[in-house]
Amino acid sequence: MIKDILVHLSPGERRDPGADFSLSVAALFGASLTGVAFAYEPVIPPSVFGTIPAELIAAQKQQSVKAAAAPAARFQEGLRLADLHGGTRILDAGVPVSGDVFGRLARLFDLSIVTQAEPDSLGAEDLVVEGALFEAGRPVLVVPYVQTAGITLERVVVAWDGSRQAARACADSLPFLTKATRVEVVMVSGERPKAGEVQGADVAQHLARHDIKVEVKRISEAGGIGETLLSYAADSGADFLVMGGYGHSRLREFVLGGATRGILDAMTLPVLLSH
């Protein structure tokens, strides 16, 4: 059950699709919702550290706090209008460590929600996605920056390749799948199943025991796994995608797998990721 949700609030005055979307998710599950905004520490290059006036650093910090307070206030008002339980937190952190901070906090929630990074952004959303994916041990729901509608679960696609990550995503998505009108387990033909891995029909049987009716489909790869899944989702009219989040940590630097990176770069529908 999803009863406690964490959402990352994008800084500034711009529209925040993830925050707006999270209100509909919380309403769907009757969940409490906590919004987190970061008041980012000023970025000072080491080469000029000590030469910048303290007043300028303080002014930059004040501007960052203001940029965090604006979305927190909007979110609090959104909670009030939607009659939802929850609150907001403003955290101090440098941009490079914000993902780690968010990921550790997300361990205490059933689900975290973050907006996809826009092409011209500073990349803070990417860091938060990676932190939630690799650090939390909980699922993360990524909302496209073009999203305008709330959550709908008319047609849900579950990407399946028999891996541990896919199994985790399938299990984490059960609260969503049980509310879906139609669920498809989709396998990309370019992915060669390994010996001993669970096949799509077996997954369908497992989900059927949760009273979820599933169709199993195999599609041909065209231009990469991520691109193939997004193309199929668009062509089939899917409104929600579930998949394993692939990647690893190299000296504490997150390295996303190709399919995951492709999804995050070009997604056009909400995607639930689990690692």
Side-chain angles (χ1 to χ4, degrees):
M1 296 178 66
I2 295 176
K3 290 298 178 183
D4 205 9
I5 301 173
L6 180 69
V7 56
H8 174 251
L9 306 178
S10 298
E13 300 290 343
R14 62 179 178 171
R15 187 181 70 88
D16 192 340
D20 295 341
F21 191 84
S22 72
L23 296 171
S24 67
V25 178
L28 177 67
F29 293 109
S32 176
L33 195 57
T34 299
V36 168
F38 283 103
Y40 293 113
E41 299 290 345
V43 179
I44 304 173
S47 59
V48 299
F49 187 80
T51 64
I52 299 179
E55 294 81 5
L56 180 57
I57 296 176
Q60 289 181 341
K61 179 61 178 179
Q62 186 177 14
Q63 185 177 7
S64 181
V65 170
K66 183 179 179 181
R74 286 198 308 272
F75 186 71
Q76 193 68 50
E77 178 64 7
L79 288 173
R80 186 189 68 80
L81 292 174
D83 195 23
L84 292 171
H85 181 265
T88 58
R89 295 177 63 178
I90 295 178
L91 302 179
D92 293 323
V95 171
V97 300
S98 58
D100 274 351
V101 173
F102 187 86
R104 287 193 294 268
L105 183 60
R107 294 171 188 171
L108 302 175
F109 293 82
D110 301 318
L111 173 74
S112 59
I113 299 177
V114 64
T115 305
Q116 172 199 24
E118 295 190 39
D120 58 349
S121 71
L122 297 176
E125 282 88 355
D126 264 347
L127 293 175
V128 171
V129 170
E130 293 169 8
L133 186 60
F134 290 106
E135 290 286 350
R138 301 295 182 98
V140 54
L141 177 54
V142 187
V143 180
Y145 63 80
V146 297
Q147 186 80 18
T148 56
I151 187 169
T152 55
L153 298 169
E154 292 297 318
R155 187 165 188 160
V156 177
V157 169
V158 179
W160 184 259
D161 63 359
S163 66
R164 180 190 67 80
Q165 290 90 342
R168 181 63 182 269
C170 187
D172 286 340
S173 68
L174 282 174
F176 294 93
L177 300 185
T178 56
K179 293 181 178 293
T181 303
R182 182 174 181 179
V183 177
E184 292 180 340
V185 172
V186 174
M187 297 171 291
V188 179
S189 60
E191 289 283 279
R192 211 179 269 183
K194 300 180 179 63
E197 287 189 337
V198 180
Q199 301 302 301
D202 299 318
V203 175
Q205 185 180 57
H206 166 68
L207 293 176
R209 295 189 177 112
H210 290 271
D211 297 322
I212 301 169
K213 186 178 180 181
V214 176
E215 298 177 55
V216 180
K217 293 191 176 181
R218 182 174 288 277
I219 60 176
S220 299
E221 181 180 355
I225 303 299
E227 293 83 352
T228 301
L229 288 170
L230 288 177
S231 178
Y232 178 80
D235 291 343
S236 65
D239 45 41
F240 198 86
L241 174 64
V242 175
M243 65 177 288
Y246 300 92
H248 62 278
S249 178
R250 182 176 60 198
L251 298 177
R252 301 293 299 162
E253 178 183 344
F254 297 131
V255 182
L256 290 169
T260 307
R261 181 75 270 166
I263 291 287
L264 292 177
D265 286 344
M267 59 188 291
T268 53
L269 77 170
V271 179
L272 183 78
L273 294 168
S274 295
H275 179 63

